Amino acid sequence: MSLRTKRKTTKRRVKHSAKTRSFWSYFIILLIALGVGAVTYFLLNYLYSKSDNNIQIINKIEKYLDSQKQEIKRDSAKKESALKSESKLQEKTKTKESNLEQKRSIKDLNLTENENRAIKNIIKSMEKNDVNLSTQKELIKPKERKISESGNKIHIEIVERNATKKDKKNDVDKNQKFTLGSKGSSSSKPKLVIIIDDIAHKHQVDAVKAINLKLTPSIFPPTKHHPDTPKLAKRFKFYMIHLPMQAHGFKKEEINTLHTNDSYDKILKRLRDIKRDFPELMYINNHTGSKFTSDLDAMNRMMRAVKNENLIFIDSKTISNSKVEEAARNHSMPYIVRDVFLDHQDDKNTIRKQLKYAIELAKKNSKAIAIGHPYKNTLEVLRQSGDILKDVEVVYLKDAL
């Protein structure tokens, strides 16, 4: 074989080996790509299947929570219906008991046969018309029925007052009185209201109740310094709340004192918290409050909240330019203000002089409101004031308005 032929053969072999190597290299790359693709496919498939399982678990949890909510709603509805039915039963039993008590009280009067017969006829006619002798929830015009017989005078007076609806929330105020003897017992004397502010402790309650007068206690809302005021209020037939409000330059503020920059919602929440502690509350007056009551915007927010909660605000008049009257007028609320401070000076002679001044105002205007405090001198003057008070009738605030 010639040299030229050998070279050609060698070149062919080199080309063939190069083609073989390139084929295998491509083949290996293809295998690697297929392997990576397969791994990627299985990995993605695994992740998707796991996310599907998670979604199914979440759906199951949501269904369970929804079923629990429905069960809770059903239980609460059952409880509410049970409470309503129970309250209706209690009202029925109370009305029956009150009817029985009224009948017993009439039997205990030791009346003649004619008088008993007349009273029984009245009761029967009232029962036929579904009239309840103790309390009713219907609005009925005032009625008076009187029976007079020889020997004894019987006065049966059934007074039922129409109540004015305020914010679609009101109850009917109704009184029933059975009296034997003279026709009327209401005093024609001028009425004097004596409010005792700052009631917070048991010894103050004991001191006020020891005085044989219808004093109106104004009690602080509970704080950590006097937490028992709701319990102390239960010892009184009538009370009001002494609401701490911001004053000019007064450093010893009560806890939760209302300020002029407080929002309507904050004031409303404060009143609702107080009403929760004192459910029979009707009247409030300001403790300090010279800055708050002289700020018209703040008093407008206060009067709006007071009206919303069916309360009445009494102006203690701790500052001469009080805006309480204007705010009350803006919200169609009554304006009630104290006339006299008894103990600006803690001195017996001064307190007695102020008490006489309050009595003169009561005589002139048919009623007056005085404010004092549970000071030793104040209570002692009131205890010894029988001769001074003989020309007026000391009444609770609610009985003078």
Side-chain angles (χ1 to χ4, degrees), residues 365-386:
N365 303 319
S366 76
K367 62 185 176 183
I369 298 175
I371 290 181
H373 299 83
Y375 304 151
K376 181 180 178 181
N377 286 337
T378 304
L379 298 179
E380 192 168 338
V381 168
L382 291 174
R383 192 181 298 110
Q384 299 171 355
S385 60

Side-chain angles (χ1 to χ4, degrees), residues 270-400:
R270 179 72 173 126
L271 294 182
R272 285 177 175 173
D273 290 343
I274 291 171
K275 282 188 72 176
R276 188 165 52 249
D277 290 327
F278 303 89
E280 297 179 0
L281 180 62
M282 296 169 59
Y283 302 91
I284 60 175
N285 72 324
N286 53 295
H287 169 65
T288 63
S290 56
K291 184 173 183 179
F292 197 107
T293 56
S294 60
D295 187 310
L296 181 58
D297 290 337
M299 277 311 307
N300 276 328
R301 294 193 296 272
M302 170 62 72
M303 278 297 177
R304 180 184 165 198
V306 165
K307 185 175 183 178
N308 187 79
E309 294 304 304
N310 290 326
L311 298 172
I312 295 177
F313 187 91
I314 312 300
D315 187 3
S316 299
K317 201 69 179 292
T318 54
I319 192 167
S320 59
N321 63 332
S322 169
K323 303 298 181 183
V324 177
E325 184 177 9
E326 187 175 351
R329 189 166 56 250
N330 290 341
H331 292 82
S332 302
M333 294 286 284
Y335 176 61
I336 304 167
V337 60
R338 65 95 191 148
D339 298 296
V340 179
F341 265 128
L342 296 178
D343 47 16
H344 254 324
Q345 298 180 24
D346 190 10
D347 171 73
K348 287 185 181 180
N349 290 331
T350 304
I351 295 168
R352 193 174 290 108
K353 182 179 178 181
Q354 290 296 98
L355 181 60
K356 290 179 179 178
Y357 176 56
I359 292 168
E360 291 302 316
L361 287 178
K363 290 179 180 179
K364 180 180 178 182
N365 303 319
S366 76
K367 62 185 176 183
I369 298 175
I371 290 181
H373 299 83
Y375 304 151
K376 181 180 178 181
N377 286 337
T378 304
L379 298 179
E380 192 168 338
V381 168
L382 291 174
R383 192 181 298 110
Q384 299 171 355
S385 60
D387 57 334
I388 302 175
L389 296 169
K390 63 184 179 180
D391 294 329
V392 295
E393 181 184 9
V394 179
V395 297
Y396 296 127
L397 177 67
K398 67 182 179 69
D399 298 325

Side-chain angles (χ1 to χ4, degrees), residues 162-227:
N162 283 333
T164 304
K165 290 185 178 180
K166 292 182 179 180
D167 297 334
K168 297 182 181 179
K169 293 180 181 178
N170 211 345
D171 295 323
V172 178
D173 180 18
K174 182 189 294 184
N175 297 322
Q176 290 187 340
K177 300 176 183 177
F178 289 81
T179 60
L180 180 64
S182 61
K183 289 187 177 181
S185 61
S186 60
S187 174
S188 59
K189 293 181 180 180
K191 291 178 171 55
L192 176 63
V193 178
I194 302 176
I195 299 172
I196 304 297
D197 281 348
D198 296 353
I199 300 295
H201 302 287
K202 181 180 179 297
H203 71 275
Q204 295 171 330
V205 174
D206 293 338
V208 170
K209 287 183 71 65
I211 300 173
N212 191 26
L213 291 171
K214 289 184 178 180
L215 304 178
T216 298
S218 191
I219 303 172
F220 276 128
T223 67
K224 65 180 180 180
H225 300 303
H226 38 75

Side-chain angles (χ1 to χ4, degrees), residues 106-116 119 152 154 180:
I106 292 171
K107 288 180 180 178
D108 294 336
L109 290 175
N110 297 323
L111 303 176
T112 64
E113 290 182 1
N114 291 332
E115 292 165 351
N116 281 324
I119 293 172
N152 290 326
I154 306 164
L180 180 64

Side-chain angles (χ1 to χ4, degrees), residues 36-275:
V36 170
V39 170
T40 304
Y41 171 79
F42 287 116
L43 183 61
L44 290 173
N45 192 25
Y46 171 76
L47 292 174
Y48 283 131
S49 63
K50 195 169 184 180
S51 64
D52 289 338
N53 290 333
N54 290 336
I55 290 169
Q56 290 176 359
I57 291 169
I58 291 169
N59 289 333
K60 288 180 180 179
I61 291 171
E62 288 178 348
K63 288 180 180 178
Y64 174 76
L65 291 174
D66 289 336
S67 64
Q68 291 295 316
K69 287 180 181 179
Q70 290 176 358
E71 288 179 3
I72 290 169
K73 287 181 180 178
R74 284 195 294 269
D75 291 338
S76 61
K78 288 179 181 178
K79 288 179 181 178
E80 286 178 359
S81 62
L83 288 172
K84 286 180 181 178
S85 61
E86 186 178 352
S87 63
K88 287 180 181 178
L89 287 172
Q90 288 178 353
E91 287 179 1
K92 287 181 180 179
T93 54
K94 284 181 180 178
T95 54
K96 287 180 180 179
E97 289 174 358
S98 62
N99 285 341
L100 287 173
E101 288 177 0
Q102 294 286 3
K103 290 177 182 178
R104 286 172 191 159
S105 64
I106 292 171
K107 288 180 180 178
D108 294 336
L109 290 175
N110 297 323
L111 303 176
T112 64
E113 290 182 1
N114 291 332
E115 292 165 351
N116 281 324
R117 195 178 300 113
I119 293 172
K120 286 179 181 178
N121 290 333
I122 290 173
I123 293 170
K124 285 180 181 179
S125 64
M126 292 173 73
E127 288 176 343
K128 286 179 181 178
N129 293 321
D130 293 329
V131 178
N132 185 5
L133 291 176
S134 58
T135 56
Q136 296 179 14
K137 291 184 178 179
E138 299 175 354
L139 294 175
I140 306 174
K141 293 182 179 180
K143 301 178 181 177
E144 288 188 2
R145 297 188 182 183
K146 301 177 182 179
I147 300 174
S148 299
E149 295 290 341
S150 59
N152 290 326
K153 290 183 179 178
I154 306 164
H155 178 54
I156 300 177
E157 181 178 300
I158 303 166
V159 182
E160 298 162 339
R161 301 173 194 160
N162 283 333
T164 304
K165 290 185 178 180
K166 292 182 179 180
D167 297 334
K168 297 182 181 179
K169 293 180 181 178
N170 211 345
D171 295 323
V172 178
D173 180 18
K174 182 189 294 184
N175 297 322
Q176 290 187 340
K177 300 176 183 177
F178 289 81
T179 60
L180 180 64
S182 61
K183 289 187 177 181
S185 61
S186 60
S187 174
S188 59
K189 293 181 180 180
K191 291 178 171 55
L192 176 63
V193 178
I194 302 176
I195 299 172
I196 304 297
D197 281 348
D198 296 353
I199 300 295
H201 302 287
K202 181 180 179 297
H203 71 275
Q204 295 171 330
V205 174
D206 293 338
V208 170
K209 287 183 71 65
I211 300 173
N212 191 26
L213 291 171
K214 289 184 178 180
L215 304 178
T216 298
S218 191
I219 303 172
F220 276 128
T223 67
K224 65 180 180 180
H225 300 303
H226 38 75
D228 297 327
T229 51
K231 293 181 181 178
L232 296 176
K234 293 179 181 179
R235 294 183 57 189
F236 292 101
K237 293 181 179 179
F238 175 76
Y239 63 85
M240 56 192 293
I241 288 300
H242 202 35
L243 183 63
M245 297 165 71
Q246 187 179 8
H248 287 292
F250 187 68
K251 296 181 179 179
K252 296 181 179 180
E253 281 189 345
E254 281 282 314
I255 298 172
N256 295 324
T257 293
L258 290 173
H259 293 83
T260 55
N261 58 353
D262 286 340
S263 66
Y264 166 75
D265 290 334
K266 184 174 181 179
I267 296 171
L268 183 65
K269 182 180 182 302
R270 179 72 173 126
L271 294 182
R272 285 177 175 173
D273 290 343
I274 291 171
K275 282 188 72 176

